[in-house]
Amino acid sequence: MKKTIGLLIAVCCSVVSFAQTKLDSVQYLDVIELSDIKLKQNAAGFKVTVLNDSVLSKNTSNFTDLLRFNSNIYFKENGYGMVSSPSFRGTNASQTAVIWNGININSQLNGQTDFNTINTNNINQVVIRNGGGSVQYGSGAIGGSVHLDNRLSFTQHLKNDVKLNYGSFESKNISLVTDYGQDKFAFNLGVNYINSDNDYKYLDSDKINDNGAFNNLSLNVNLGYFISEKDVIKLYHQSFIGEREFSGTTATPSKSKYEDENSRSMLEWVSTHQNYKSNFKVAYLKEYFEFYQNKNSEFFTFGQVNTFLAKHNFNYKLSKQLSVTSILDYNLFKGEGSSFGNPERSIFSATGLLQYNPSTNLNLGFNVRQDVNSDFKSPLLFSMDALIGITENYKIKINASKNYRVPTFNDLFWQPGGNLDLVPESSYQFDLGHVLDFNWLQLQLNTYYIKSQDLIQWKPNISGFWSPQNIAEAHSYGAEVGLTINKKYDNHKLTFSSNYSYTVSENLETNKQLIYVPFHKANATLAYSFKRFSAHYQQLFNGDVFTTSDNLKGPFYSLQSYNVANLGVNYKVLQHSNHELELGLKVNNLFNKLYQNVAFRPMPNRNFNIQLHYKF
């Protein structure tokens, strides 16, 4: 690991040195090329939240914290830095799709993405899309989707970032990012390494998190080159290598360890013409893990999946008001593992998107998708959305869709317990949104309803093994409110943002709230800046959650609500046109609250993080 880290840092520094010989000054990017163009063109009737650079900089610890404090998504985390699972609008982790530069990267083993394996220092833009998106993004986009985009800018510029972090529990983080571009060529490269003993003390106890150490290394390399005035070739690559000790509970100690390696490589050819645009992608993805029941033992179980993908998008403008898009997508999955053999799966999908904009105040979309799956029959999917401008400041967003999730390799083939008779989950959802926008103030209100069938649940069978079954129907409904205020007076700038969600998610067989779905969740951030000084305060509230399906209350059956606050201050020690040095201090869990978001797994007490950030 140390040799790999040293090599990657050396490569990064060499690239920085080479790029400096080309440019003498920093220019900020103003022409951006995004790989996931569908997100912008075919989501007019959906709630879409963009987390920009200023928001990303306030949550440098991990991706889970970024979304926990800046979105409506609820997270279950098995101790800090451990497996992190999202719950979006009352759905489970495998019903939230994670999209990397336009392709779905949810695991084919367990159907979800562990948000603690994603590093935001190497991602340029994070976008949250509420509501069903299976038509555009495939299996799992039922509650919503989270989009990770790497941007390439073909303008004359050079930008370099170096971040050094040191914090409580011997936590260390180093990040190196270089972004370079000219008329025909652009690239960005990022390297990030995190290491933490993570041995925080459990509040109101003499115990510590004594098996929670983790370290990981991530690498992003993205290139783009114009081979003609209308054609650009882009290459995206992302690697993650991690090692984690798995924390135990307050009652049961652990000595287990988990190592995982994920890599994604994608080649993209974009051809843009007056009336049409063609986008062709080929990609190779690999996920691999080793699990050690005893970290001191050489014995481990393993699993891996290799994914081969080819995807073609073709968008044609029939007129200024009407455009159509076709998407042809082929995926081949090859798995191998200690507990599920050597499964294979292939999926071909055909998607049609229609976008109609008869006026500046009306935008309509209709989409259909059909998959051909080698394992089972997939349903016909559809979605409809509309953006209606009532006044200059008031808009209505409406969308409805049918979505689905296919059983994973673990669901079908895990031994013992896999069930080959499973069928895909399916759901119908409807969303109504209101947007008030007055430049300095934006208010959003969304109400939604989701009805799901054939939910896959793991339960003990007659042999005593846990096995998945299509047994449950459920529905989710609720409301989401988002408020953003921006005010500027001379050199003073004040920003306030807040999110609140009310969620009911019930098993229709029992009329009980699903476990680990809070009825209430809210967060707020207040940020202030004056010349070289800036500060921010974050507050997170999570309501009570049930931990058992019978909804009993008590210390062993539910988790109490909690309030957690963070405070950060930053000062720019140097501020010049071509380089900038900023020193930051952040206090997490400011009021030292005892809280858990998974039963018997306490989260960290008050802790500190110091950051040195140099831009040149």
Side-chain angles (χ1 to χ4, degrees):
M1 172 70 88
K2 291 182 178 178
K3 291 182 179 179
T4 303
I5 295 166
L7 177 62
L8 290 175
I9 292 176
V11 170
C12 185
C13 293
S14 299
V15 172
V16 172
S17 300
F18 168 78
Q20 284 183 295
T21 65
K22 299 294 184 180
L23 292 173
D24 297 324
S25 62
V26 175
Q27 294 184 2
Y28 289 97
L29 317 185
D30 50 20
V31 179
I32 303 298
E33 292 289 336
L34 292 179
S35 180
D36 189 7
I37 199 68
K38 300 192 303 300
L39 182 60
K40 179 179 179 181
Q41 294 180 342
N42 299 96
F46 291 82
K47 179 183 177 182
V48 175
T49 304
V50 179
L51 303 184
N52 55 30
D53 292 340
S54 62
V55 176
L56 297 179
S57 65
K58 294 180 181 65
N59 296 90
T60 58
S61 52
N62 61 34
F63 193 37
T64 299
D65 281 345
L66 172 69
L67 297 181
R68 179 183 283 139
F69 281 91
N70 295 281
S71 75
N72 300 108
I73 306 175
Y74 171 75
F75 283 90
K76 296 182 297 180
E77 196 173 11
N78 294 331
Y80 187 77
M82 302 298 104
V83 175
S84 175
S85 305
S87 177
F88 207 136
R89 290 186 165 182
T91 61
N92 60 42
S94 57
Q95 294 171 332
T96 297
V98 178
I99 311 300
W100 174 70
N101 292 308
I103 62 174
N104 191 318
I105 61 170
N106 280 29
S107 170
Q108 294 301 309
L109 297 176
N110 58 23
Q112 65 185 66
T113 296
D114 181 355
F115 279 63
N116 279 338
T117 64
I118 296 174
N119 190 285
T120 56
N121 282 325
N122 295 339
I123 299 295
N124 301 114
Q125 180 174 273
V126 176
V127 182
I128 303 165
R129 185 182 189 270
N130 297 46
S134 293
V135 171
Q136 294 183 36
Y137 299 108
S139 173
I142 293 178
S145 52
V146 178
H147 300 252
L148 314 172
D149 293 320
N150 294 105
R151 301 177 297 188
L152 291 170
S153 174
F154 297 93
T155 59
Q156 196 78 4
H157 74 276
L158 171 64
K159 182 179 179 181
N160 300 302
D161 277 15
V162 178
K163 294 179 183 177
L164 301 174
N165 289 265
Y166 180 80
S168 301
F169 324 123
E170 290 297 317
S171 299
K172 298 169 281 290
N173 186 344
I174 179 172
S175 173
L176 307 173
V177 179
T178 293
D179 195 294
Y180 170 77
Q182 50 181 261
D183 292 342
K184 290 188 175 182
F185 176 71
F187 80 85
N188 52 57
L189 172 122
V191 180
N192 192 88
Y193 177 68
I194 299 175
N195 186 297
S196 177
D197 290 348
N198 201 29
D199 54 350
Y200 53 89
K201 182 180 182 297
Y202 296 159
L203 291 174
D204 298 336
S205 170
D206 58 355
K207 298 180 180 179
I208 65 171
N209 191 44
D210 61 357
N211 195 70
F214 61 87
N215 65 79
N216 59 68
L217 172 71
S218 56
L219 169 70
N220 264 338
V221 181
N222 309 293
L223 307 170
Y225 180 72
F226 273 93
I227 58 177
S228 72
E229 292 183 356
K230 300 180 183 297
D231 298 272
V232 60
I233 298 292
K234 292 186 277 188
L235 175 66
Y236 300 90
H237 177 78
Q238 184 181 79
S239 292
F240 176 91
I241 303 172
E243 179 178 318
R244 285 179 283 183
E245 297 174 351
F246 271 179
S247 301
T249 67
T250 53
T252 308
S254 169
K255 291 187 177 294
S256 62
K257 182 179 71 170
Y258 188 84
E259 298 180 3
D260 54 336
E261 297 180 13
N262 299 312
S263 66
R264 307 174 184 107
S265 300
M266 182 171 70
L267 183 65
E268 180 180 30
W269 172 29
V270 181
S271 184
T272 305
H273 300 265
Q274 183 175 358
N275 294 323
Y276 69 89
K277 183 174 184 177
S278 174
N279 181 306
F280 180 68
K281 300 176 181 178
V282 290
Y284 169 69
L285 290 73
K286 180 179 179 179
E287 54 178 303
Y288 176 82
F289 77 85
E290 293 179 0
F291 175 72
Y292 296 78
Q293 186 67 43
N294 187 328
K295 63 184 180 182
N296 299 316
S297 170
E298 296 183 357
F299 176 77
F300 63 87
T301 58
F302 78 96
Q304 71 174 16
V305 177
N306 295 303
T307 300
F308 305 90
L309 177 152
K311 188 173 187 177
H312 182 252
N313 294 13
F314 183 80
N315 176 264
Y316 188 80
K317 291 185 178 179
L318 298 172
S319 67
K320 292 183 178 180
Q321 294 80 28
L322 184 64
S323 66
V324 293
T325 302
S326 67
I327 305 173
L328 299 177
D329 192 354
Y330 177 76
N331 290 264
L332 175 63
F333 309 104
K334 293 187 176 182
E336 180 184 1
S338 307
S339 300
F340 50 82
N342 299 278
E344 288 191 14
R345 174 184 297 167
S346 62
I347 302 175
F348 172 78
S349 67
T351 305
L353 313 175
L354 181 133
Q355 203 70 28
Y356 181 49
N357 309 315
S359 70
T360 57
N361 294 322
L362 183 61
N363 191 317
L364 303 173
F366 180 74
N367 314 315
V368 293
R369 175 188 178 112
Q370 180 63 63
D371 285 4
V372 179
N373 191 302
S374 60
D375 288 346
F376 36 70
K377 184 177 180 180
S378 296
L380 177 68
L381 306 178
F382 68 87
S383 71
M384 298 173 285
D385 68 279
L387 172 64
I388 306 169
I390 305 300
T391 67
E392 182 180 355
N393 306 112
Y394 173 47
K395 297 177 181 178
I396 293 177
K397 294 186 175 185
I398 306 173
N399 65 81
S401 60
K402 181 179 181 180
N403 302 281
Y404 82 124
R405 183 180 79 86
V406 297
T408 66
F409 283 165
N410 285 3
D411 293 331
L412 295 170
F413 305 113
W414 189 269
Q415 293 300 322
N419 183 358
L420 293 174
D421 295 324
L422 293 173
V423 299
E425 300 175 346
S426 63
S427 70
Y428 294 89
Q429 70 96 26
F430 175 79
D431 186 317
L432 174 62
H434 306 266
V435 179
L436 286 173
D437 192 343
F438 295 97
N439 294 323
W440 63 274
L441 180 148
Q442 186 180 76
L443 176 66
Q444 295 189 70
L445 169 64
N446 287 76
T447 54
Y448 62 89
Y449 180 79
I450 304 173
K451 174 70 177 296
S452 301
Q453 299 178 3
D454 296 319
L455 291 183
I456 298 173
Q457 292 187 351
W458 284 73
K459 287 192 171 186
N461 58 26
I462 57 176
S463 301
F465 298 115
W466 285 75
S467 179
Q469 302 173 39
N470 291 109
I471 59 171
E473 290 189 349
H475 70 178
S476 299
Y477 61 90
E480 299 168 341
V481 182
L483 174 66
T484 302
I485 299 174
N486 290 287
K487 280 292 186 179
K488 188 174 182 180
Y489 303 97
D490 296 328
N491 292 318
H492 301 269
K493 184 178 180 181
L494 188 68
T495 301
F496 175 79
S497 62
S498 180
N499 298 284
Y500 167 77
S501 58
Y502 172 72
T503 307
V504 176
S505 185
E506 296 176 327
N507 184 330
L508 291 177
E509 295 181 354
T510 62
N511 293 320
K512 301 290 187 180
Q513 180 86 343
L514 297 183
I515 64 172
Y516 288 108
V517 178
F519 288 106
H520 305 279
K521 179 183 183 293
N523 55 55
T525 299
L526 180 64
Y528 168 77
S529 64
F530 174 72
K531 295 184 178 180
R532 296 188 178 190
F533 173 79
S534 63
H536 68 274
Y537 175 84
Q538 297 175 313
Q539 186 77 38
L540 169 68
F541 171 79
N542 269 306
D544 296 349
V545 298
F546 297 109
T547 61
T548 59
S549 58
D550 48 12
N551 287 188
L552 296 176
K553 292 185 177 182
F556 297 102
Y557 308 105
S558 62
L559 295 179
Q560 293 183 345
S561 61
Y562 57 84
N563 266 297
V564 179
N566 300 330
L567 177 66
V569 293
N570 295 75
Y571 183 76
K572 294 179 180 178
V573 181
L574 298 174
Q575 189 176 27
H576 300 283
S577 59
N578 59 352
H579 64 100
E580 181 180 289
L581 179 64
E582 185 176 53
L583 181 64
L585 170 66
K586 187 174 181 182
V587 184
N588 300 304
N589 194 359
L590 179 65
F591 301 112
N592 210 29
K593 295 288 187 178
L594 172 63
Y595 72 102
Q596 304 173 22
N597 55 53
V598 172
F600 309 111
R601 296 180 183 271
M603 296 295 285
N605 47 27
R606 184 189 297 118
N607 59 94
F608 303 86
N609 182 272
I610 300 173
Q611 181 181 90
L612 193 67
H613 186 188
Y614 184 44
K615 299 179 182 181
F616 60 100

